[in-house]
Amino acid sequence: MANVTVIGAQWGDEGKGKIVDWLASRADCVVRFQGGHNAGHTLVVGDQTYKISLVPSGIVTGTLSIIGNGVVLDPWALKAEIEKLEGQGVNVDRSNFAVADNCPLILPFHRDLDALRETAAGKGKIGTTGRGIGPAYEDKVGRRAIRVCDLAHLDALDAQLDRLCAHHDALRAGFGEPPIDRAKLIADLREIAPFVLQFAEPVWKRLRDVRKAGKRILFEGAQGVLLDVDHGTYPFVTSSNTVSGTVASGSGMGPSAAGFVLGIVKAYTTRVGSGPFPSELTDETGELLGQRGHEFGTVTARKRRCGWFDAVLVRQTCALSGVTGIALTKIDVLDGFKTIKICTGYRLNGEIIDYLPAHAADQAAVEPVYEEMDGWEGTTVGARSWADLPAQAIKYIRRIEELIECPVASVSTSPERDDTILVRDPFED
């Protein structure tokens, strides 16, 4: 059986929730492999809406859902999210949910440091969600993190706490903050430990068994490739690798596990927070896209910046992540526009280039080169076949395929799960 990896091929918020939910209903296992509870997915199933940030989307259909070691885990956020899901009638127990025992933990002082840095940066802030994701990853690579497995050995934590406090207390002092209260931290961890440990296990072993049994695995990415710490609009990025290659290291499975790589792509472009955005529209058209698309962050409720589709960026992210096919979402938001533009290149220092340069100053300086197309009358809302689409909408989709050099696997025409035109089934490809 084929595995499928879902990644966002823009700056996140591409509509991964609906696609992952649809795929999860046909998968045997869903795995998160990077990021933290800064990811926001909205799932609409019938008359029920679920908003989740940390638990894999498969949980709402009872599919085995696993948080891999590449995720940084806030134990209190996990508890709150599971309790909310259970309040909506979703069952969560060891039979359908597991957490890697080597996941690094997000602790209260990580959230503090995140907020202190952003406040001090003022206009130069990166635009993080303030949930401590970055500082937790810093501690992971600095080899001073407290991990899920440490919750079972809290009495032996002194040496790790010494390293953590030596680092963080110096940073906190620089911001005029008191040192970490070690006694309170241990007390808080002792209280939350039983809840987390009931789900903890070496998930690489469970995934090995799932794969040996020939079952379907869905790898659920968070954020988007343009927020990748290596390949994104650095430094305005997240603190993890969001490309499909992270499946291997973030789940404990080999690189061959990724399978069909499905890139989720919005029919226009949005971004939350700071950083370059070549095709951004700050006029009435940008406002209209935001209103029609209900462009507010699931996690932060921050208003998203909006602009025309940027084919340069998506072609680049598809190459970086080895995308097999894209799922084009929110085509219905473009209904009724008389003219639609697509960014096909950039002008930098008088030259036309076909990629986003690495340096932040160059990224901020590029000017979009647009191609114009006629819009379409009528509606694409609820379309489930090509025959239901206006001819000009099909022309727009085909032009996107040409420009990004990657085929369309599906087209989403509303938030409802079944309002999808399926071209290629990732699990059957």
Short mmCIF file of all heavy atoms in Angstrom, two decimals, residues 49-95:
data_model
loop_
_atom_site.label_atom_id
_atom_site.label_comp_id
_atom_site.label_asym_id
_atom_site.label_seq_id
_atom_site.Cartn_x
_atom_site.Cartn_y
_atom_site.Cartn_z
N THR A 49 -17.50 20.95 13.69
CA THR A 49 -16.23 21.60 13.35
C THR A 49 -15.22 21.35 14.44
O THR A 49 -15.49 21.58 15.62
CB THR A 49 -16.43 23.11 13.15
OG1 THR A 49 -17.34 23.34 12.07
CG2 THR A 49 -15.10 23.78 12.81
N TYR A 50 -14.04 20.86 14.05
CA TYR A 50 -12.97 20.59 15.01
C TYR A 50 -11.80 21.52 14.69
O TYR A 50 -11.40 21.66 13.54
CB TYR A 50 -12.49 19.14 14.90
CG TYR A 50 -13.58 18.11 15.08
CD1 TYR A 50 -14.25 17.60 13.96
CD2 TYR A 50 -13.92 17.62 16.34
CE1 TYR A 50 -15.25 16.65 14.10
CE2 TYR A 50 -14.91 16.66 16.49
CZ TYR A 50 -15.57 16.18 15.37
OH TYR A 50 -16.56 15.23 15.50
N LYS A 51 -11.26 22.13 15.72
CA LYS A 51 -10.07 22.96 15.58
C LYS A 51 -8.95 22.32 16.39
O LYS A 51 -9.03 22.27 17.62
CB LYS A 51 -10.33 24.40 16.02
CG LYS A 51 -11.32 25.14 15.12
CD LYS A 51 -11.50 26.58 15.56
CE LYS A 51 -12.52 27.32 14.68
NZ LYS A 51 -12.05 27.50 13.31
N ILE A 52 -7.95 21.81 15.70
CA ILE A 52 -6.87 21.11 16.39
C ILE A 52 -5.52 21.72 16.00
O ILE A 52 -5.37 22.27 14.92
CB ILE A 52 -6.89 19.60 16.08
CG1 ILE A 52 -6.81 19.34 14.59
CG2 ILE A 52 -8.12 18.95 16.67
CD1 ILE A 52 -6.81 17.87 14.23
N SER A 53 -4.57 21.59 16.91
CA SER A 53 -3.26 22.19 16.70
C SER A 53 -2.11 21.22 16.86
O SER A 53 -1.04 21.43 16.31
CB SER A 53 -3.06 23.37 17.68
OG SER A 53 -4.05 24.34 17.51
N LEU A 54 -2.31 20.17 17.64
CA LEU A 54 -1.21 19.28 17.99
C LEU A 54 -1.51 17.82 17.66
O LEU A 54 -0.68 17.12 17.08
CB LEU A 54 -0.91 19.43 19.49
CG LEU A 54 0.29 18.67 20.06
CD1 LEU A 54 1.57 19.02 19.31
CD2 LEU A 54 0.44 18.98 21.54
N VAL A 55 -2.69 17.37 18.02
CA VAL A 55 -3.07 15.98 17.76
C VAL A 55 -3.28 15.79 16.26
O VAL A 55 -3.91 16.63 15.61
CB VAL A 55 -4.36 15.62 18.53
CG1 VAL A 55 -4.77 14.18 18.25
CG2 VAL A 55 -4.15 15.82 20.03
N PRO A 56 -2.77 14.72 15.66
CA PRO A 56 -2.99 14.49 14.23
C PRO A 56 -4.47 14.45 13.87
O PRO A 56 -5.32 14.01 14.66
CB PRO A 56 -2.33 13.12 14.01
CG PRO A 56 -1.28 13.02 15.05
CD PRO A 56 -1.87 13.71 16.26
N SER A 57 -4.78 14.91 12.66
CA SER A 57 -6.17 15.06 12.23
C SER A 57 -6.94 13.75 12.18
O SER A 57 -8.17 13.74 12.24
CB SER A 57 -6.21 15.73 10.85
OG SER A 57 -5.63 17.00 10.89
N GLY A 58 -6.25 12.63 12.05
CA GLY A 58 -6.92 11.34 11.97
C GLY A 58 -7.71 10.98 13.21
O GLY A 58 -8.58 10.11 13.15
N ILE A 59 -7.45 11.65 14.31
CA ILE A 59 -8.08 11.27 15.58
C ILE A 59 -9.60 11.41 15.52
O ILE A 59 -10.32 10.66 16.18
CB ILE A 59 -7.50 12.11 16.74
CG1 ILE A 59 -7.75 11.41 18.08
CG2 ILE A 59 -8.05 13.53 16.75
CD1 ILE A 59 -6.91 10.18 18.30
N VAL A 60 -10.10 12.35 14.70
CA VAL A 60 -11.55 12.58 14.69
C VAL A 60 -12.30 11.45 14.01
O VAL A 60 -13.51 11.30 14.20
CB VAL A 60 -11.91 13.94 14.03
CG1 VAL A 60 -11.23 15.08 14.74
CG2 VAL A 60 -11.57 13.95 12.56
N THR A 61 -11.58 10.64 13.22
CA THR A 61 -12.22 9.48 12.58
C THR A 61 -11.82 8.18 13.26
O THR A 61 -12.12 7.10 12.76
CB THR A 61 -11.85 9.42 11.09
OG1 THR A 61 -10.42 9.42 10.95
CG2 THR A 61 -12.43 10.60 10.34
N GLY A 62 -11.10 8.29 14.39
CA GLY A 62 -10.69 7.09 15.11
C GLY A 62 -9.46 6.42 14.54
O GLY A 62 -9.08 5.33 14.99
N THR A 63 -8.81 7.04 13.57
CA THR A 63 -7.61 6.48 12.95
C THR A 63 -6.43 6.59 13.92
O THR A 63 -6.30 7.59 14.63
CB THR A 63 -7.28 7.24 11.66
OG1 THR A 63 -8.43 7.22 10.80
CG2 THR A 63 -6.11 6.62 10.93
N LEU A 64 -5.58 5.58 13.95
CA LEU A 64 -4.39 5.63 14.78
C LEU A 64 -3.61 6.91 14.48
O LEU A 64 -3.22 7.16 13.34
CB LEU A 64 -3.50 4.41 14.51
CG LEU A 64 -2.13 4.39 15.20
CD1 LEU A 64 -2.27 4.43 16.71
CD2 LEU A 64 -1.32 3.17 14.76
N SER A 65 -3.37 7.72 15.51
CA SER A 65 -2.74 9.03 15.34
C SER A 65 -1.49 9.10 16.21
O SER A 65 -1.56 8.83 17.41
CB SER A 65 -3.73 10.14 15.71
OG SER A 65 -4.86 10.11 14.85
N ILE A 66 -0.38 9.47 15.59
CA ILE A 66 0.91 9.42 16.28
C ILE A 66 1.63 10.76 16.19
O ILE A 66 1.70 11.37 15.12
CB ILE A 66 1.78 8.31 15.68
CG1 ILE A 66 1.21 6.94 16.05
CG2 ILE A 66 3.24 8.43 16.14
CD1 ILE A 66 1.96 5.76 15.47
N ILE A 67 2.15 11.21 17.32
CA ILE A 67 3.02 12.38 17.37
C ILE A 67 4.45 11.88 17.37
O ILE A 67 4.90 11.22 18.31
CB ILE A 67 2.74 13.25 18.60
CG1 ILE A 67 1.34 13.88 18.50
CG2 ILE A 67 3.80 14.35 18.75
CD1 ILE A 67 0.96 14.74 19.69
N GLY A 68 5.18 12.18 16.29
CA GLY A 68 6.54 11.70 16.13
C GLY A 68 7.56 12.53 16.89
O GLY A 68 7.26 13.62 17.40
N ASN A 69 8.78 12.04 16.94
CA ASN A 69 9.85 12.67 17.71
C ASN A 69 10.28 14.03 17.16
O ASN A 69 10.91 14.82 17.87
CB ASN A 69 11.08 11.76 17.74
CG ASN A 69 11.60 11.46 16.35
OD1 ASN A 69 11.10 10.55 15.69
ND2 ASN A 69 12.59 12.20 15.89
N GLY A 70 9.92 14.34 15.91
CA GLY A 70 10.28 15.63 15.34
C GLY A 70 9.42 16.77 15.82
O GLY A 70 9.71 17.94 15.55
N VAL A 71 8.36 16.46 16.55
CA VAL A 71 7.45 17.46 17.11
C VAL A 71 7.98 17.92 18.46
O VAL A 71 8.54 17.12 19.22
CB VAL A 71 6.03 16.88 17.26
CG1 VAL A 71 5.09 17.84 17.98
CG2 VAL A 71 5.47 16.49 15.90
N VAL A 72 7.80 19.21 18.79
CA VAL A 72 8.05 19.67 20.16
C VAL A 72 6.69 19.76 20.85
O VAL A 72 5.74 20.33 20.32
CB VAL A 72 8.79 21.03 20.19
CG1 VAL A 72 10.26 20.84 19.89
CG2 VAL A 72 8.19 22.05 19.25
N LEU A 73 6.60 19.17 22.04
CA LEU A 73 5.31 18.90 22.67
C LEU A 73 5.10 19.75 23.92
O LEU A 73 5.88 19.67 24.87
CB LEU A 73 5.24 17.42 23.05
CG LEU A 73 3.92 16.94 23.65
CD1 LEU A 73 2.93 16.62 22.55
CD2 LEU A 73 4.15 15.73 24.54
N ASP A 74 4.04 20.54 23.91
CA ASP A 74 3.61 21.25 25.11
C ASP A 74 2.62 20.33 25.83
O ASP A 74 1.51 20.10 25.36
CB ASP A 74 2.92 22.56 24.74
CG ASP A 74 2.52 23.39 25.95
OD1 ASP A 74 2.06 22.80 26.96
OD2 ASP A 74 2.64 24.63 25.90
N PRO A 75 3.01 19.75 26.98
CA PRO A 75 2.15 18.75 27.63
C PRO A 75 0.82 19.31 28.09
O PRO A 75 -0.20 18.61 28.09
CB PRO A 75 3.00 18.25 28.80
CG PRO A 75 4.01 19.31 29.04
CD PRO A 75 4.27 19.95 27.72
N TRP A 76 0.80 20.58 28.49
CA TRP A 76 -0.44 21.19 28.95
C TRP A 76 -1.37 21.49 27.76
O TRP A 76 -2.59 21.32 27.87
CB TRP A 76 -0.13 22.45 29.74
CG TRP A 76 0.66 22.13 30.98
CD1 TRP A 76 0.17 21.68 32.18
CD2 TRP A 76 2.08 22.15 31.11
NE1 TRP A 76 1.21 21.44 33.06
CE2 TRP A 76 2.39 21.73 32.44
CE3 TRP A 76 3.13 22.50 30.27
CZ2 TRP A 76 3.70 21.65 32.92
CZ3 TRP A 76 4.43 22.42 30.74
CH2 TRP A 76 4.71 22.01 32.04
N ALA A 77 -0.79 21.90 26.66
CA ALA A 77 -1.59 22.11 25.44
C ALA A 77 -2.17 20.80 24.96
O ALA A 77 -3.32 20.74 24.50
CB ALA A 77 -0.75 22.76 24.35
N LEU A 78 -1.38 19.72 25.06
CA LEU A 78 -1.86 18.40 24.66
C LEU A 78 -3.07 17.99 25.50
O LEU A 78 -4.09 17.53 24.96
CB LEU A 78 -0.75 17.36 24.82
CG LEU A 78 -1.16 15.91 24.52
CD1 LEU A 78 -1.45 15.74 23.03
CD2 LEU A 78 -0.06 14.94 24.96
N LYS A 79 -2.97 18.17 26.79
CA LYS A 79 -4.07 17.80 27.69
C LYS A 79 -5.33 18.60 27.38
O LYS A 79 -6.43 18.05 27.29
CB LYS A 79 -3.66 18.02 29.15
CG LYS A 79 -4.66 17.51 30.19
CD LYS A 79 -4.06 17.61 31.59
CE LYS A 79 -4.97 16.94 32.62
NZ LYS A 79 -6.22 17.68 32.85
N ALA A 80 -5.16 19.90 27.19
CA ALA A 80 -6.32 20.76 26.90
C ALA A 80 -6.98 20.36 25.58
O ALA A 80 -8.22 20.33 25.48
CB ALA A 80 -5.88 22.22 26.86
N GLU A 81 -6.16 20.05 24.57
CA GLU A 81 -6.71 19.69 23.27
C GLU A 81 -7.45 18.36 23.32
O GLU A 81 -8.53 18.21 22.74
CB GLU A 81 -5.61 19.65 22.22
CG GLU A 81 -6.12 19.50 20.79
CD GLU A 81 -5.06 19.85 19.77
OE1 GLU A 81 -4.52 20.98 19.82
OE2 GLU A 81 -4.78 19.01 18.90
N ILE A 82 -6.88 17.38 24.00
CA ILE A 82 -7.53 16.08 24.11
C ILE A 82 -8.84 16.20 24.90
O ILE A 82 -9.86 15.61 24.51
CB ILE A 82 -6.59 15.06 24.77
CG1 ILE A 82 -5.48 14.68 23.77
CG2 ILE A 82 -7.34 13.81 25.22
CD1 ILE A 82 -4.44 13.74 24.33
N GLU A 83 -8.83 16.98 25.95
CA GLU A 83 -10.07 17.18 26.73
C GLU A 83 -11.15 17.85 25.89
O GLU A 83 -12.33 17.51 25.98
CB GLU A 83 -9.77 17.99 27.98
CG GLU A 83 -8.97 17.21 29.03
CD GLU A 83 -8.59 18.05 30.23
OE1 GLU A 83 -8.68 19.30 30.14
OE2 GLU A 83 -8.18 17.46 31.26
N LYS A 84 -10.75 18.80 25.05
CA LYS A 84 -11.71 19.47 24.17
C LYS A 84 -12.28 18.48 23.16
O LYS A 84 -13.49 18.46 22.90
CB LYS A 84 -11.06 20.64 23.46
CG LYS A 84 -12.01 21.43 22.57
CD LYS A 84 -11.31 22.61 21.93
CE LYS A 84 -12.28 23.38 21.01
NZ LYS A 84 -11.58 24.53 20.34
N LEU A 85 -11.40 17.65 22.57
CA LEU A 85 -11.85 16.65 21.60
C LEU A 85 -12.81 15.65 22.25
O LEU A 85 -13.85 15.29 21.67
CB LEU A 85 -10.65 15.91 21.01
CG LEU A 85 -9.82 16.69 19.98
CD1 LEU A 85 -8.50 15.98 19.72
CD2 LEU A 85 -10.60 16.86 18.68
N GLU A 86 -12.48 15.22 23.45
CA GLU A 86 -13.36 14.28 24.15
C GLU A 86 -14.71 14.92 24.45
O GLU A 86 -15.75 14.24 24.43
CB GLU A 86 -12.67 13.80 25.43
CG GLU A 86 -11.49 12.88 25.15
CD GLU A 86 -10.76 12.42 26.39
OE1 GLU A 86 -10.80 13.16 27.40
OE2 GLU A 86 -10.15 11.34 26.37
N GLY A 87 -14.69 16.24 24.70
CA GLY A 87 -15.95 16.96 24.92
C GLY A 87 -16.81 17.02 23.67
O GLY A 87 -18.03 17.22 23.76
N GLN A 88 -16.19 16.83 22.50
CA GLN A 88 -16.92 16.80 21.23
C GLN A 88 -17.24 15.37 20.80
O GLN A 88 -17.67 15.14 19.68
CB GLN A 88 -16.11 17.49 20.14
CG GLN A 88 -15.97 19.00 20.33
CD GLN A 88 -15.20 19.64 19.18
OE1 GLN A 88 -13.98 19.61 19.12
NE2 GLN A 88 -15.94 20.24 18.26
N GLY A 89 -17.00 14.41 21.71
CA GLY A 89 -17.35 13.03 21.44
C GLY A 89 -16.27 12.20 20.79
O GLY A 89 -16.54 11.08 20.33
N VAL A 90 -15.03 12.71 20.72
CA VAL A 90 -13.92 11.97 20.11
C VAL A 90 -13.21 11.15 21.18
O VAL A 90 -12.80 11.68 22.21
CB VAL A 90 -12.92 12.93 19.44
CG1 VAL A 90 -11.73 12.15 18.86
CG2 VAL A 90 -13.60 13.75 18.35
N ASN A 91 -13.06 9.86 20.94
CA ASN A 91 -12.36 8.99 21.88
C ASN A 91 -10.86 9.05 21.64
O ASN A 91 -10.39 8.94 20.52
CB ASN A 91 -12.84 7.54 21.72
CG ASN A 91 -12.09 6.60 22.65
OD1 ASN A 91 -12.20 6.72 23.87
ND2 ASN A 91 -11.33 5.67 22.09
N VAL A 92 -10.08 9.26 22.72
CA VAL A 92 -8.62 9.30 22.63
C VAL A 92 -8.04 8.39 23.71
O VAL A 92 -8.19 8.67 24.91
CB VAL A 92 -8.07 10.73 22.80
CG1 VAL A 92 -6.55 10.74 22.61
CG2 VAL A 92 -8.73 11.70 21.83
N ASP A 93 -7.39 7.30 23.30
CA ASP A 93 -6.73 6.42 24.26
C ASP A 93 -5.54 5.73 23.58
O ASP A 93 -5.22 6.04 22.43
CB ASP A 93 -7.72 5.39 24.84
CG ASP A 93 -8.38 4.52 23.77
OD1 ASP A 93 -7.73 4.23 22.75
OD2 ASP A 93 -9.56 4.15 23.95
N ARG A 94 -4.91 4.81 24.27
CA ARG A 94 -3.71 4.18 23.74
C ARG A 94 -3.97 3.38 22.46
O ARG A 94 -3.05 3.12 21.69
CB ARG A 94 -3.09 3.26 24.79
CG ARG A 94 -2.37 3.99 25.91
CD ARG A 94 -1.62 3.00 26.79
NE ARG A 94 -0.51 2.39 26.06
CZ ARG A 94 0.72 2.86 26.04
NH1 ARG A 94 1.01 3.98 26.68
NH2 ARG A 94 1.67 2.22 25.38
N SER A 95 -5.20 3.02 22.24
CA SER A 95 -5.50 2.23 21.04
C SER A 95 -5.42 3.06 19.77
O SER A 95 -5.16 2.53 18.68
CB SER A 95 -6.89 1.59 21.15
OG SER A 95 -7.91 2.58 21.06
#
